[in-house]
Every structure is written in structure tokens, then in C-alpha cells.
Amino acid sequence: MKNDRKTLFDKVWDAHVVEKIPDGPQIIYIDKHLIHEVTSPQAFAELEARKLEVFRPEQIIATADHNVPTLNQEKPIRDELSRNQVHQLTENCRKNNIELFGLGHQYQGIVHIIAPELGITQPGMSIVCGDSHTSTHGAFGAIAFGIGTSQVAQVFASQCLLLNKPKSMRITVNGVLNENVQPKDVILYIISKIGTDGGTGYFCEYAGNVFEEMSMEGRMTVCNMSIEMGARGGMIAPDETTFEYVKGKTFAPKGEGWDEKVAYWKTLPTDEEAVFDKELFFDAGDIYPMITYGTNPGMGISIREVIPAPQNESEEKALKYMGLEAGQTPSNIKVNYVFIGSCTNARIEDFRSAAQYIKGKSKSEAVKALIVPGSQQVVKQIYEEGLDKIFSDAGFQIRQPGCSACLAMNDDKIPEGEYCVSTSNRNFEGRQGQGARTILASPLTAAKAAIEGRISAFENVN
């Protein structure tokens, strides 16, 4: 007898199938298309070259984030390439009647932060963007994934994509987390165990009480980094936490429309006895605050461990690039920069947790510490809640919204050979600047490193 039980992924995917090609790919309808200044210009140019129009501009939301400066945003952008890309986005949106939250707009910010906080991201949707960390939106029980420039053009022209259906995987984490463990630590732990290719070919659902008890901000952090283990995307089933977060947001359904949506969203969680192509289980009690020590997110250890011996030539090369040695303790690493921001960890909850630790302390004189909010709305919250004073008194610099020091596409680069404890998602060679050495961590671990000028365990912290 065939099992007709469906996973969350199956339910959302199947609801968006326009046409199935026998033994081949499927045409999937896209509910929301998010765009920014870096991956959209070529797609718009392709449309013009083929004399095609944007099919459904009302389904598209645009913002400027990747290479915008995080200082003096009210002034003209100094870098010519960045200035041209932002101008091009403005022009393309104007010509095609696309809503743009550009520099100076009250909703401007990192694309994967503004869409959820405005209620644009909703359960059961299909969402794409020319950016790999689109997986963030899966925290709402949406199918969300990054696409290439040619696919951006496809969605512009048809609001659809031709895709092979990925396999399904479920990662379950149950138990009680150790003290000072944040959602970033949970996903860094998982990636350290299964590797950067452990999720290749799969859409991953996160299940278990650890994810059920997380805030929406925490769930977004986890789903954001699904791509770092090779998965096509990550998802968490929508529940009361989800509904409470979305309710009342600017673009969320209202009145009867809201009740109808919630009734549908409640049908989305995975059916009991649904079968996944792959299942993995982890114990929350095994997870401690994490850092990376190499040049991919899979090279991770808890801050209580020592740097392990390299197992292959690639790991040897990574340690050499990082200037680290096997057996070295993380506390021996002298931190020069701390960056709290990016689409992984630039939400208000991230800054609250960092500020709570920092309050009444001063950063190390050896450290340059950047606080980069993910959106203008987060900026507003930081000032309304008085977090700005805590950061400023401790010697941290608050910047304006943007992708900032996550990637070397703007002015916020890390100098060659310097160590940066970063709440972003990638620690590749040169990711934060040529020769920069990136150590991924949670906002709490990053805040502690800024105060002490080194990475240390939390044993004596209440």
C-alpha cells in the first residue's frame, strides 16, 4: 500500500507545480521574487535584449544591500561600480513598476531581513532571489532558495522556474541546550558533523523541540545556513510562533484573509509517518558555543576544544591560510575585528543578546567592533530600546544597514592577515577581504571576543 503521507516540503512544492514533464523537471510557480543590485542588472538586460516584459512586477520586491556603504548613506556612493549598480537597480525598478526599498527608504535593508520583518515572507510560499542565502525564508515553512542570473530572468519573464525536485531530509535535534548556546551554534554544530556537502541534493526540514522552542529570528539563522551544508534550502514547520511573528506586519494578510491563511498554514506541517529520503538525529546536550577555525563552515569546533589535526591537504591549506596550528586553543587567537551583522545575525534579537553581555563593559583596545543592523527598522528598534548607548559606551561602532563585512563587495573589508570574529555565514578565503581570516560565531560569542580581544569559553558567565 502506497504511503500518501506528505512532508512539509512535499506539500509546499506540490502546491506550486504548474506542469510536470514525465521523468524530467517540473515547472514551479514563484510567489515572491526578491531582487537586489548585484544579480539583477544582467537579468533585466537579458529581458530587454529579447524584447520581453516583466510578467508580474507586483510579485517582486527590490532593495539595495550588498555593496552599499554603511556610513554616510545619505551622500552619493563613492565607489563607481557600487554607485552604478544601485543606480541601475533604481532605473530598472522604475521602468518595470517594481517596488523598491532603496537607500533612504524607511524599509531599506538586507533582502533576507526586510522581507520577513515586513510580512512579505509567509508560510507555504515559494520564494526566490539571486542570492544563495534565500534559504533564510524557509524558517516560515516556505520553499525558498537562491537562483542564478539566467533564472532571475526566467522568473522576470514567466514567474515560473523549470526545476528538478530535490530529495527530502529531516534533521531532528531534541533535548536541552547548554548555557549560552544560540541558534547559530546549533547550525554550526550540525554543519561540523555532516560537512559542507552533507545536504547536497536535499531540501532539509529541521524538527525537534530545539527548533520548536526557537524564536523566528533563531529559526531564520538556522535556515540561512542550510546552504552551507550543501542543501538546496531549509524549512521549519509553521506554528503559533510563526503566526504571532507574521500577524500585523505591514504586508501580512488582514481580517478574514488572515484567518483563511492561518487555517491553510496549519495544514502544512509534515504528516505523521511521512517518509524522508534521509533522516539525521542530534542531541542538544552535545552542543556548546561554536567557532570555525578553517576556510569553510564545516571546519567548526566548540570553544572548549582545541584545533584538530588536519585530515587532508585541503585542511592543511586552510590552517596555513588561517595561521593556526593543530592543538592550539581558540583563546590563543588574538582577535582584531568583530562584526555583528549580515543576513544571518543582524536582527533585533541578535543585538539584544550582544548588548546584554556587553552592558557595563568596554571592548578590548585591540579590537575594532562593528554593529551593522540588518534594516532601517532594526536601526529604529536599537535606538528605541537604548541598545545604541550600550554599544557606544562599550566602544562599538554602529553602522547603517547593509551586507557590510559579510563579503568584500563594499567598504567594510577586513585587512589581510587580521582575525575577524564574524556572525556572518561564510569563512572562505578572501570572503571578508583579500587575506582576511574569518572566524564564524554567534552574536554572544562575538560580543565576548570583542570585550576580551580573544575567544574564550563561558564557564564563569551566569
Side-chain angles (χ1 to χ4, degrees), residues 20-37:
K20 287 184 181 178
I21 296 166
D23 302 319
Q26 302 176 10
I27 298 173
I28 302 296
Y29 180 76
I30 303 303
D31 291 314
K32 286 293 173 189
H33 186 188
L34 311 175
I35 65 172
H36 55 79
E37 77 276 16

Side-chain angles (χ1 to χ4, degrees), residues 403-453:
C403 293
S404 186
C406 172
L407 76 172
M409 253 187 200
N410 49 67
D411 297 336
D412 301 349
K413 297 178 179 68
I414 308 304
E416 186 171 355
E418 303 276 50
Y419 289 103
C420 177
V421 176
S422 175
T423 65
S424 52
N425 41 49
R426 288 186 169 162
N427 54 339
F428 305 155
E429 286 191 22
R431 171 76 176 180
Q432 292 190 293
Q434 189 173 353
R437 292 165 168 169
T438 304
I439 296 167
L440 301 179
S442 73
L444 185 56
T445 299
K448 192 167 190 288
I451 299 300
E452 299 183 6

Side-chain angles (χ1 to χ4, degrees), residues 272-284:
E272 281 187 40
E273 298 177 24
V275 177
F276 288 82
D277 295 302
K278 188 175 183 179
E279 293 246 28
L280 295 171
F281 299 88
F282 296 99
D283 185 341

Side-chain angles (χ1 to χ4, degrees), residues 59-236:
Q59 302 303 108
I60 305 169
I61 294 290
T63 192
D65 59 3
H66 274 62
N67 54 13
V68 301
T70 58
L71 288 173
N72 304 314
Q73 285 184 352
E74 66 284 357
K75 296 179 181 177
I77 299 172
R78 288 183 306 170
D79 180 77
E80 187 180 0
L81 176 62
S82 299
R83 188 171 65 250
N84 287 344
Q85 285 191 327
V86 171
H87 173 72
Q88 198 64 54
L89 177 69
T90 305
E91 282 301 295
N92 284 326
C93 289
R94 183 187 58 77
K95 282 194 288 188
N96 293 281
N97 296 315
I98 292 168
E99 183 137 34
L100 169 65
F101 303 139
L103 288 181
H105 195 285
Q106 62 174 333
Y107 297 150
Q108 180 266 334
I110 301 172
V111 67
H112 307 312
I113 287 182
I114 66 166
E117 74 180 7
L118 292 170
I120 293 164
T121 302
Q122 296 168 25
M125 280 185 166
S126 59
I127 300 172
V128 297
C129 176
D131 184 280
S132 53
H133 294 102
T134 309
S135 54
T136 307
H137 308 269
F140 292 78
I143 284 181
F145 52 93
I147 56 176
T149 299
S150 60
Q151 290 177 306
V152 171
Q154 267 183 49
V155 182
F156 279 158
S158 68
Q159 206 59 34
C160 291
L161 277 175
L162 186 65
L163 300 165
N164 289 307
K165 186 177 182 180
K167 292 183 288 185
S168 63
M169 172 167 69
R170 179 163 60 187
I171 294 178
T172 303
V173 184
N174 282 314
V176 180
L177 290 170
N178 290 299
E179 199 174 5
N180 301 308
V181 171
Q182 297 195 302
K184 181 67 159 288
D185 300 306
V186 175
I187 189 62
L188 282 174
Y189 175 82
I190 292 168
I191 299 169
S192 77
K193 293 301 178 189
I194 73 172
T196 53
D197 58 357
T200 302
Y202 295 92
F203 234 91
C204 175
E205 179 179 343
Y206 299 98
N209 74 281
V210 166
F211 301 111
E212 290 166 7
E213 291 161 14
M214 278 184 191
S215 64
M216 286 311 299
E217 288 91 344
R219 295 178 189 185
M220 283 187 262
T221 293
V222 168
C223 289
N224 174 277
M225 290 197 67
S226 302
I227 194 77
E228 307 309 337
M229 62 187 188
R232 194 75 175 94
M235 303 178 83
I236 295 174

Side-chain angles (χ1 to χ4, degrees), residues 333-355:
I333 304 169
K334 289 184 179 176
V335 176
N336 314 106
Y337 284 78
V338 165
F339 166 56
I340 302 179
S342 86
C343 62
T344 316
N345 284 120
R347 298 174 182 85
I348 191 61
E349 179 181 280
D350 302 311
F351 298 114
R352 284 176 186 149
S353 73

